[in-house]
mmCIF file of all heavy atoms in Angstrom:
data_model
loop_
_atom_site.group_PDB
_atom_site.id
_atom_site.type_symbol
_atom_site.label_atom_id
_atom_site.label_comp_id
_atom_site.label_asym_id
_atom_site.label_seq_id
_atom_site.Cartn_x
_atom_site.Cartn_y
_atom_site.Cartn_z
ATOM 1 N N LYS A 76 99.283 106.909 98.030
ATOM 2 C CA LYS A 76 98.445 105.737 98.315
ATOM 3 C C LYS A 76 98.817 105.146 99.673
ATOM 4 O O LYS A 76 97.952 104.842 100.487
ATOM 5 C CB LYS A 76 98.589 104.705 97.205
ATOM 6 C CG LYS A 76 98.036 105.186 95.877
ATOM 7 C CD LYS A 76 98.263 104.183 94.766
ATOM 8 C CE LYS A 76 97.712 104.706 93.464
ATOM 9 N NZ LYS A 76 97.878 103.761 92.377
ATOM 10 N N ASP A 77 100.116 104.979 99.922
ATOM 11 C CA ASP A 77 100.584 104.440 101.202
ATOM 12 C C ASP A 77 100.458 105.463 102.326
ATOM 13 O O ASP A 77 100.085 105.123 103.441
ATOM 14 C CB ASP A 77 102.042 103.996 101.103
ATOM 15 C CG ASP A 77 102.236 102.773 100.229
ATOM 16 O OD1 ASP A 77 101.278 101.987 100.077
ATOM 17 O OD2 ASP A 77 103.344 102.607 99.700
ATOM 18 N N ALA A 78 100.790 106.717 102.035
ATOM 19 C CA ALA A 78 100.811 107.752 103.075
ATOM 20 C C ALA A 78 99.422 108.116 103.578
ATOM 21 O O ALA A 78 99.236 108.345 104.770
ATOM 22 C CB ALA A 78 101.519 109.002 102.550
ATOM 23 N N TYR A 79 98.445 108.169 102.672
ATOM 24 C CA TYR A 79 97.125 108.687 103.034
ATOM 25 C C TYR A 79 95.962 107.776 102.665
ATOM 26 O O TYR A 79 94.821 108.130 102.895
ATOM 27 C CB TYR A 79 96.901 110.057 102.375
ATOM 28 C CG TYR A 79 98.065 110.987 102.539
ATOM 29 C CD1 TYR A 79 98.793 111.421 101.439
ATOM 30 C CD2 TYR A 79 98.460 111.428 103.800
ATOM 31 C CE1 TYR A 79 99.880 112.263 101.583
ATOM 32 C CE2 TYR A 79 99.552 112.266 103.957
ATOM 33 C CZ TYR A 79 100.253 112.683 102.844
ATOM 34 O OH TYR A 79 101.333 113.509 102.992
ATOM 35 N N GLY A 80 96.252 106.635 102.053
ATOM 36 C CA GLY A 80 95.178 105.736 101.638
ATOM 37 C C GLY A 80 94.429 106.227 100.415
ATOM 38 O O GLY A 80 93.282 105.837 100.173
ATOM 39 N N ALA A 81 95.058 107.097 99.616
ATOM 40 C CA ALA A 81 94.416 107.624 98.408
ATOM 41 C C ALA A 81 94.233 106.513 97.379
ATOM 42 O O ALA A 81 95.019 105.569 97.318
ATOM 43 C CB ALA A 81 95.259 108.744 97.822
ATOM 44 N N THR A 82 93.203 106.657 96.560
ATOM 45 C CA THR A 82 92.983 105.692 95.482
ATOM 46 C C THR A 82 93.704 106.124 94.207
ATOM 47 O O THR A 82 93.924 105.318 93.314
ATOM 48 C CB THR A 82 91.485 105.529 95.175
ATOM 49 O OG1 THR A 82 90.930 106.808 94.866
ATOM 50 C CG2 THR A 82 90.749 104.937 96.360
ATOM 51 N N GLY A 83 94.076 107.380 94.132
ATOM 52 C CA GLY A 83 94.770 107.924 92.967
ATOM 53 C C GLY A 83 95.203 109.344 93.273
ATOM 54 O O GLY A 83 95.273 109.749 94.425
ATOM 55 N N SER A 84 95.487 110.125 92.216
ATOM 56 C CA SER A 84 95.910 111.504 92.413
ATOM 57 C C SER A 84 95.618 112.327 91.173
ATOM 58 O O SER A 84 95.455 111.794 90.082
ATOM 59 C CB SER A 84 97.395 111.580 92.742
ATOM 60 O OG SER A 84 98.155 111.026 91.683
ATOM 61 N N THR A 85 95.562 113.627 91.362
ATOM 62 C CA THR A 85 95.484 114.594 90.273
ATOM 63 C C THR A 85 96.755 115.427 90.334
ATOM 64 O O THR A 85 97.154 115.879 91.410
ATOM 65 C CB THR A 85 94.242 115.494 90.422
ATOM 66 O OG1 THR A 85 93.076 114.683 90.263
ATOM 67 C CG2 THR A 85 94.215 116.608 89.387
ATOM 68 N N VAL A 86 97.384 115.607 89.184
ATOM 69 C CA VAL A 86 98.632 116.364 89.092
ATOM 70 C C VAL A 86 98.365 117.606 88.249
ATOM 71 O O VAL A 86 97.827 117.503 87.147
ATOM 72 C CB VAL A 86 99.752 115.506 88.450
ATOM 73 C CG1 VAL A 86 101.024 116.322 88.252
ATOM 74 C CG2 VAL A 86 100.018 114.266 89.294
ATOM 75 N N THR A 87 98.751 118.775 88.782
ATOM 76 C CA THR A 87 98.579 120.028 88.048
ATOM 77 C C THR A 87 99.820 120.899 88.209
ATOM 78 O O THR A 87 100.605 120.720 89.136
ATOM 79 C CB THR A 87 97.352 120.837 88.531
ATOM 80 O OG1 THR A 87 97.586 121.283 89.860
ATOM 81 C CG2 THR A 87 96.081 120.028 88.465
ATOM 82 N N GLN A 88 99.954 121.861 87.304
ATOM 83 C CA GLN A 88 101.037 122.836 87.382
ATOM 84 C C GLN A 88 100.485 124.141 86.826
ATOM 85 O O GLN A 88 99.864 124.159 85.767
ATOM 86 C CB GLN A 88 102.246 122.364 86.581
ATOM 87 C CG GLN A 88 103.514 123.145 86.806
ATOM 88 C CD GLN A 88 103.631 124.416 85.987
ATOM 89 O OE1 GLN A 88 103.112 124.518 84.875
ATOM 90 N NE2 GLN A 88 104.315 125.394 86.532
ATOM 91 N N ASN A 89 100.686 125.233 87.546
ATOM 92 C CA ASN A 89 100.225 126.547 87.102
ATOM 93 C C ASN A 89 101.411 127.367 86.617
ATOM 94 O O ASN A 89 102.465 127.355 87.234
ATOM 95 C CB ASN A 89 99.539 127.285 88.259
ATOM 96 C CG ASN A 89 98.353 126.524 88.784
ATOM 97 O OD1 ASN A 89 97.550 126.008 88.031
ATOM 98 N ND2 ASN A 89 98.250 126.432 90.101
ATOM 99 N N ASN A 90 101.208 128.108 85.545
ATOM 100 C CA ASN A 90 102.261 128.938 84.975
ATOM 101 C C ASN A 90 101.763 130.376 84.888
ATOM 102 O O ASN A 90 101.081 130.737 83.943
ATOM 103 C CB ASN A 90 102.605 128.404 83.578
ATOM 104 C CG ASN A 90 104.077 128.314 83.318
ATOM 105 O OD1 ASN A 90 104.846 128.041 84.220
ATOM 106 N ND2 ASN A 90 104.468 128.536 82.087
#
Side-chain angles (χ1 to χ4, degrees):
K76 294 176 181 181
D77 291 335
Y79 313 115
T82 56
S84 60
T85 294
V86 176
T87 67
Q88 192 277 330
N89 300 316
N90 225 34

